[in-house]
Amino acid sequence: MAPPLYRGRFAPTPSGPLHFGSLVAAMASYLDACAHGGEWLVRMEDVDPPRVAPGAADRILHTLELYGFQWHSPVMYQSRRGAAYCAALAELQRLGQVYRCICSRKTLTENARRGVDGLVYPGACRALNLDTKHAGMRFRMPAGRAIFDDAIQGRVACDLVTECGDFILQRADGVYSYQLAVTVDDAEQGISHVVRGADLLTSTPRQIALQQALGLPAVRYAHLPVALDEHGDKLSKQTLATAIDAADPLPALKIAACFLGLMPPAGLANPDEFWRWAVAAWPSRIARPVRGYRPTPCNS
Ligand code: GLU
């Protein structure tokens, strides 16, 4: 059977329970997949052991289930994907796209300038050809621009060298970076569409550069605007980081829908009814791109 034309995913980092911010991302990617008749996959981004909270992955899956999300099995765990990341890194090395870097965080902070997302690596180790064992592995960013049409943000263009710069693929302690893992895994899972928060918009050019270097298929992106409170301010970490109530899904589902600009009607009695309504309402939402928006206060 031919693979579906649409494959979306939700890729939480299991550093704690599912919180409101991730519910919004999960809901948007799920609704977009369902509304396109596609599949929705879940991936645990547990690539960085110190960030993982014991038991959090299972709790997130359990909460998603209680909230009525249905995903295509199996769930992917980045902690089990070391061999794939190692192979991708070896391929990039073969292509001459990787070099070892021994710069400390302190050296970087002192010498690097700010780019679109954090510091742009100033290139101290780029031409040194180090073969030091305890070193990070850095991607040699090719010259050029990443240009993509984001379904929500519109056309995004980024100069790879001046705005992003060379970035880490594997840390000196052996941990693979989010950028490498997510790129390899989106391809492995056959993801065609990524819907996620705009806080990751600045990561996308790096992932596109990696896809191109590794000859992986392009992905379509939609980056959700950051939700604002009634004063037009970004929601505080406190608000977004509050764990959602696993035992009572409907209120949080409705509030998350409001954040996405949907207007849940009064009288939705349970998650099943909610999802039936939301999948039908979603296409008109994504078709109205906005740059920043205020969550509509929800009374029901
Ligand atoms: N693991 C990331 C997070 O929890 C999301 C990564 C992605 O969607 O690409 O913020």
Side-chain angles (χ1 to χ4, degrees), residues 9 11-13 45 178 182 196 200:
R9 50 66 157 184
T13 302
E45 298 209 321
Y178 157 70
V182 81
R196 61 186 173 191
L200 290 164

Side-chain angles (χ1 to χ4, degrees), residues 9-15 19 22 25 43-46 51 78 178-179 182-183 186 194-197 199-200 203-204 207 221 223:
R9 50 66 157 184
F10 173 52
T13 302
S15 50
H19 54 73
S22 18
R43 176 166 72 233
M44 285 299 157
E45 298 209 321
D46 54 356
R51 290 194 63 202
Q78 289 190 328
Y178 157 70
Q179 308 292 358
V182 81
T183 306
D186 279 339
V194 166
V195 179
R196 61 186 173 191
D199 52 325
L200 290 164
S203 283
T204 304
Q207 292 164 25
Y221 293 96
H223 288 88

Side-chain angles (χ1 to χ4, degrees), residues 53-135:
D58 285 349
R59 279 206 305 279
I60 290 175
L61 291 177
H62 186 57
T63 307
L64 288 174
E65 204 175 321
L66 293 173
Y67 272 61
F69 288 91
Q70 289 175 18
W71 57 90
H72 191 80
S73 296
V75 172
M76 178 181 268
Y77 290 82
Q78 289 190 328
S79 52
R80 301 173 194 166
R81 301 263 308 140
Y85 308 146
C86 180
L89 189 62
E91 173 64 5
L92 291 169
Q93 268 175 303
R94 196 186 62 78
L95 295 166
Q97 295 280 105
V98 181
Y99 61 91
R100 287 174 196 270
C101 172
I102 50 165
C103 291
S104 65
R105 199 176 284 269
K106 185 165 174 281
T107 324
L108 284 185
T109 348
E110 283 166 4
N111 300 306
R113 60 179 177 75
R114 290 227 145 258
V116 287
D117 179 27
L119 302 172
V120 176
Y121 181 64
C125 295
R126 207 173 211 247
L128 296 185
N129 252 329
L130 297 168
D131 63 359
T132 327
K133 271 244 150 349
H134 194 75

Side-chain angles (χ1 to χ4, degrees), residues 188-268:
E188 174 65 25
Q189 288 187 301
I191 301 302
S192 60
H193 291 69
V194 166
V195 179
R196 61 186 173 191
D199 52 325
L200 290 164
L201 184 62
T202 48
S203 283
T204 304
R206 296 183 182 115
Q207 292 164 25
I208 291 175
L210 279 179
Q211 283 159 10
Q212 289 174 351
L214 288 164
L216 300 174
V219 174
R220 308 268 322 182
Y221 293 96
H223 288 88
L224 302 160
V226 175
L228 308 175
D229 67 16
E230 66 273 30
H231 308 296
D233 296 326
K234 206 173 142 182
L235 286 189
S236 71
K237 264 225 150 56
Q238 255 67 26
T239 326
L240 283 175
T242 313
I244 51 171
D245 186 351
D248 189 17
L250 200 55
L253 285 172
K254 286 196 208 167
I255 297 171
C258 290
F259 268 85
L260 290 169
L262 298 173
M263 299 281 233
L268 295 173

